[in-house]
Amino acid sequence: MTSPLALLGGPPIRTRPFPAWPVHGRAEEDRLLRVLRSGNWGRLDGNEVAEFEHRFAAMHGCRYGIAVVNGTVSLRIALLAAGIKADDEVIIPPYTFVSTATAVIEANAVPVFADVDLATFNLNPAAVEAAITPRTRAIIPVHFAGQPADMDAIMAIAASRGILVVEDAAHAHGAAYHGRPAGSLGHIASFSFQSSKNLTSGEGGIITTNDAALADACRSIHNCGRVPGGVWYEHHVVSGNYRLGEFQGAILNCQLDRLESQTNTRDRNGRRLAARIGQIPGLHLQARPAECTRHSHHLFMVRIEPPAFGASRTAVHTALEAEGIPCGTGYGYSLPDQPLFRHKAFGPYLPHAAARLDYRQTRCPNSDLICREQGLWLGQNLLLGGDEDVDDIALAFEKVHAERGALAGAGEPST
Ligand SMILES: Cc1ncc(COP(=O)(O)O)c(C=O)c1O
């Protein structure tokens, strides 16, 4: 017998806050002060960003790392470096942050959506295969929530056709696939250091690759088209200034010292939570294939199947929050449904292709279902604590399921 739902006036499962994010301490303060006092604040003046690039790339199985101002331009620079041209097609999932798509448009290329797998929430290789046309030049698998996409299948599809694979690893710092780090699984990869991310400097991003030519091209594009050994006012390609600053480099060097242990904690806690709540009817966890040897859990993601659970996603979300478990329903739109795509509001991009594109014809039923009715997210910081923290989350799910009748009887919140 459980107590009444907190939503209906009962005692909440959890009243203490979960671990705060970001984590910082003396190390960040000392290193920031050192940069401040050095006067070397720009990337080309000091060593913080250069050191970070080297360390991050090595930890992610790559020879080269190019730090940039965010995880959106990193995707665009990767595409431009690989020679993506106007009207080339790039296959992406519809269930991702908008940047995966806008980076393609800002490279003047056409995003083509291939649906995700309902079990893993990652790009479905069969849908990728079906989306390929003679214009396809690249695929961007997103390692959603921090679980590597089906890279064996995606790389095989790409290899047979000479297609570029850009990993969108914005959620996947420290994640591994067959023991190999995310960021080294495709031809080139992009990470984000925006404030919610598992490694953060408030804003920032990095491109990783083992391809020297791609790395050189990225380095040039991120630095106003300069080339190594070139003189300061000599510019070889059209581009901009996307360099990361030394203060962010200093923070990232400190954050990187914590990444390994934080990633192991999230992975361990994610497994514990999955074991605790995996049997609840109508609650579908992100299926974890054996190939995922470390899940970075930027999110702990589930799907609520309302008839089987006995309550709607909205009701479960509201009830969990009332129990003291912060969570969210995620993207409200599958990307092709975004006003941006509905209205083809592409600005100066795709002047020729836009006329023949009609994203209302795009069919991505799995993504639609997750966005509109079923997806539920818990943020990474909820998995940074100990067993008791994980057990509180599990107890809250169990309680909401046990009391689902009262939830329905009380009438569901309308938002
Ligand atoms: C999957 C994905 N790709 C790309 C990005 C873009 O990163 P940024 O916010 O650093 O531009 C994000 C960030 O939220 C993301 O979640």
Side-chain angles (χ1 to χ4, degrees):
M1 190 57 196
T2 47
S3 58
L5 289 168
L7 189 63
L8 304 176
I13 294 282
R14 174 95 182 179
T15 48
R16 286 181 299 127
F18 282 94
W21 187 258
V23 176
H24 59 92
R26 239 343 252 281
E28 278 83 357
E29 291 176 19
D30 290 347
R31 210 148 171 156
L32 279 171
L33 257 185
R34 202 167 75 197
V35 173
L36 183 78
R37 289 178 177 147
S38 75
N40 297 325
W41 298 357
R43 190 242 183 282
L44 303 175
D45 309 318
N47 297 320
E48 292 289 345
V49 173
E51 179 184 331
F52 172 72
E53 288 175 338
H54 183 73
R55 292 177 61 206
F56 186 92
M59 273 178 78
H60 290 81
C62 287
R63 280 197 291 281
Y64 310 102
I66 300 94
V68 293
V69 291
N70 58 56
T72 304
V73 290
S74 48
L75 284 168
R76 182 161 68 93
I77 292 172
L79 292 168
L80 294 174
I84 296 297
K85 300 183 307 303
D87 300 347
D88 284 350
E89 291 181 357
V90 179
I91 297 175
I92 63 170
Y95 191 69
T96 176
F97 186 61
V98 71
S99 292
T100 316
T102 52
V104 173
I105 297 171
E106 289 187 324
N108 219 4
V110 177
V112 174
F113 294 101
D115 206 358
V116 293
D117 182 297
L118 204 48
T120 63
F121 311 128
N122 272 329
L123 202 49
N124 176 350
V128 170
E129 191 104 48
I132 286 177
T133 76
R135 292 179 201 256
T136 308
R137 293 287 174 273
I139 306 169
I140 309 184
V142 177
H143 302 318
F144 200 81
Q147 177 166 290
D150 188 347
M151 293 301 286
D152 287 341
I154 291 168
M155 292 308 287
I157 293 169
S160 65
R161 296 169 173 89
I163 294 172
L164 175 82
V165 176
V166 181
E167 297 170 70
D168 185 342
H171 299 181
H173 319 73
Y177 182 81
H178 293 299
R180 285 173 52 211
S184 67
L185 306 170
H187 301 111
I188 188 163
S190 161
F191 292 82
S192 163
F193 306 133
Q194 173 267 340
S195 51
S196 71
K197 298 300 187 298
N198 292 21
L199 186 81
T200 182
S201 50
E203 305 291 353
I206 197 168
I207 301 156
T208 56
T209 184
N210 276 309
D211 183 315
L214 282 177
D216 283 349
C218 290
R219 204 162 279 294
S220 175
I221 294 168
H222 105 300
N223 186 21
C224 308
R226 296 187 174 97
V227 294
V231 294
W232 183 247
Y233 289 123
E234 184 181 295
H235 310 277
H236 292 249
V237 289
V238 61
S239 85
N241 172 6
Y242 304 110
R243 302 183 302 262
L244 196 66
E246 287 289 281
F247 291 110
Q248 284 154 311
I251 298 232
L252 287 168
N253 274 314
C254 300
Q255 297 283 310
L256 200 57
D257 291 336
R258 299 194 180 89
L259 182 65
E260 184 69 13
S261 90
Q262 287 175 337
T263 309
N264 286 334
T265 302
R266 293 186 190 98
D267 191 31
R268 189 185 59 242
N269 284 337
R271 285 185 192 272
R272 183 181 177 91
L273 183 57
R276 285 287 310 264
I277 64 175
Q279 303 309 316
I280 296 177
L283 181 68
H284 301 280
L285 310 184
Q286 182 177 29
R288 179 170 175 160
E291 292 85 350
C292 174
T293 43
R294 192 159 71 167
H295 194 314
S296 62
H297 275 301
H298 175 56
L299 303 167
F300 187 97
M301 180 156 174
V302 302
R303 217 164 35 85
I304 308 289
E305 192 188 345
F309 190 96
S312 73
R313 171 189 55 179
T314 308
V316 174
H317 171 221
T318 316
L320 284 172
E321 291 243 320
E323 296 299 336
I325 312 300
C327 53
T329 51
Y331 311 124
Y333 290 95
S334 194
L335 283 184
D337 291 341
Q338 284 282 359
L340 146 67
F341 283 100
R342 283 296 160 99
H343 304 138
K344 296 192 275 188
F346 302 149
Y349 302 107
L350 304 180
H352 308 299
R356 68 176 162 81
L357 297 174
D358 182 0
Y359 286 98
R360 283 171 304 188
Q361 305 304 322
T362 302
R363 294 283 169 268
C364 296
N366 292 343
S367 176
D368 293 348
L369 190 69
I370 300 168
C371 289
R372 294 176 194 159
E373 292 172 38
Q374 299 195 348
L376 189 76
W377 297 353
L378 308 177
Q380 50 91 6
N381 65 305
L382 271 65
L383 298 182
L384 274 181
D387 290 354
E388 332 74 61
D389 298 283
V390 176
D391 292 348
D392 279 348
I393 303 171
L395 285 171
F397 270 102
E398 285 163 0
K399 179 178 170 186
V400 171
H401 182 257
E403 294 294 315
R404 63 196 180 282
L407 192 57
E412 288 174 7
S414 55
T415 51

